[in-house]
Amino acid sequence: MPGTLALNDGSRLPALGFGLYKVPIEQTAEVTLAGIDAGYRLVDGARFYGNERELGEAIRSSGRRDDLMVASKFWGDPVQSREQAIADFADSERELGVGPLDLYMIHWPRSSRGAFVDVWRGLIELQQEGRVRTIGVANFEPDDLHRLVDETGVAPALNQVESHPWLPQHELRALHARLGIVTQAWSPLGRGRLLDDPTLLAVAAKHSVTVAQVVLRWHLQLGGAAVVKSTHPERLRQNLDLDDVALDDDDMAVIAGMESGERTGTHPRDRQ
């Protein structure tokens, strides 16, 4: 079972969580309960996903609320402002109905709008009021992170970004390390496109594991965290079963050679 990572606010982040992006409303409760039953202790949600009410109902019915880290995110469109972030947070708080949130993030910087620092100040206020324990960001680039820290003095606890063997984000990870920010990967399996990659299939065969297990272990050995998604209980369990998976230096070198810069999702500069 993957462990936890220390955050800069004194809390800890489960290294592997499961997410609910594009999980249909009618499947949300089932998937959430399957993930909790499999052993995940981080549930990655967002206002944009449209299934927070069902997520909250599943968490309450599980009886495991105290064991879980529940995350949500501020979408920021059409309005990106401190006031809108606080209002949207209140909506998520109400829809989830699980008490203080464990983690709240800015979903996209939308840098051209020039408002993300004020939004960040709103999240700092929410944290100071005790309404959320940990605050972070998603899809922030180096210049965005420098502005947050320079203008508020508060570094995000984590930055959730697209990352996988095609897009390892080494430069960003190095900046995160300097600023005390945890790198958390979304699309850690390249939206499933990596599962048939010949290089990864060979590494998986060498260790008698799945490609997904190889790639998730790669994320952990880089020192970061990841959020996976599956609507299949068996795959959720399998993705968490990494205790006997260890990549050697040759494996890490082979995977490093896969870097191409290819993205499977939206570039932050294209989400404004």
Side-chain angles (χ1 to χ4, degrees):
M1 182 79 67
T4 61
L5 300 173
L7 297 176
N8 61 21
D9 61 2
S11 59
R12 300 194 69 87
L13 176 79
L16 198 59
F18 74 96
L20 296 172
Y21 177 56
K22 289 190 175 180
V23 173
I25 289 176
E26 61 273 14
Q27 289 183 262
T28 298
E30 178 185 358
V31 170
T32 299
L33 291 172
I36 294 172
D37 183 64
Y40 292 89
R41 291 299 174 258
L42 168 62
V43 187
D44 184 70
R47 188 76 183 150
F48 178 70
Y49 301 166
N51 50 20
E52 289 192 313
R53 182 186 296 274
E54 292 72 23
L55 167 59
E57 290 172 353
I59 289 172
R60 292 194 300 274
S61 70
S62 75
R64 302 300 298 268
R65 172 65 185 100
D66 292 343
D67 299 334
L68 301 175
M69 190 171 197
V70 182
S72 185
K73 307 179 193 73
F74 169 62
W75 182 244
D77 190 52
V79 179
Q80 189 190 42
S81 68
R82 169 191 165 277
E83 293 77 14
Q84 192 63 51
I86 292 173
D88 281 15
F89 176 88
D91 287 342
S92 290
E93 197 175 39
R94 183 180 61 255
E95 288 284 288
L96 288 163
V98 295
L101 291 190
D102 302 290
L103 173 60
Y104 197 59
M105 292 175 271
I106 302 176
H107 211 146
W108 295 90
R110 305 184 189 275
S111 305
S112 66
R113 303 190 186 193
F116 66 81
V117 174
D118 283 336
V119 172
W120 184 239
R121 290 191 177 101
L123 269 61
I124 294 170
E125 291 175 25
L126 291 168
Q127 185 181 43
Q128 291 172 339
E129 293 168 0
R131 295 172 67 184
V132 61
R133 296 186 177 92
T134 293
I135 53 176
V137 296
N139 304 298
F140 273 53
E141 296 193 284
D143 288 348
D144 305 324
L145 294 172
H146 282 303
R147 276 199 62 192
L148 286 188
V149 176
D150 291 347
E151 296 184 34
T152 71
V154 179
L158 66 121
N159 186 16
Q160 186 185 101
V161 296
E162 180 177 358
S163 183
H164 40 71
W166 291 335
L167 186 71
Q169 300 268 27
H170 292 308
E171 179 183 353
L172 191 56
R173 287 174 185 269
L175 176 62
H176 289 166
R178 293 196 297 273
L179 296 177
I181 299 170
V182 166
T183 305
Q184 185 186 56
W186 61 260
S187 191
L189 305 176
R191 300 200 179 192
R193 297 178 197 173
L194 288 164
L195 299 181
D196 295 321
D197 182 270
T199 298
L200 294 172
L201 284 166
V203 176
K206 170 182 170 180
H207 293 279
S208 299
V209 296
T210 68
V211 169
Q213 288 171 314
V214 166
V215 177
L216 293 173
R217 174 51 68 186
W218 172 83
H219 281 285
L220 300 184
Q221 288 186 206
L222 287 181
V227 171
V228 296
K229 177 210 165 183
S230 178
T231 57
H232 303 284
E234 178 55 34
R235 289 182 193 165
L236 282 169
R237 287 191 294 272
Q238 192 176 62
N239 289 342
L240 202 61
D241 185 15
L242 302 178
D243 288 351
D244 296 327
V245 183
L247 304 179
D248 58 33
D249 291 344
D250 289 342
D251 299 326
M252 295 298 284
V254 166
I255 296 173
M258 296 177 59
E259 182 176 359
S260 65
E262 180 178 348
R263 290 178 180 269
T264 63
T266 303
H267 194 291
R269 289 193 295 271
D270 297 329
R271 179 79 71 184
Q272 299 296 339

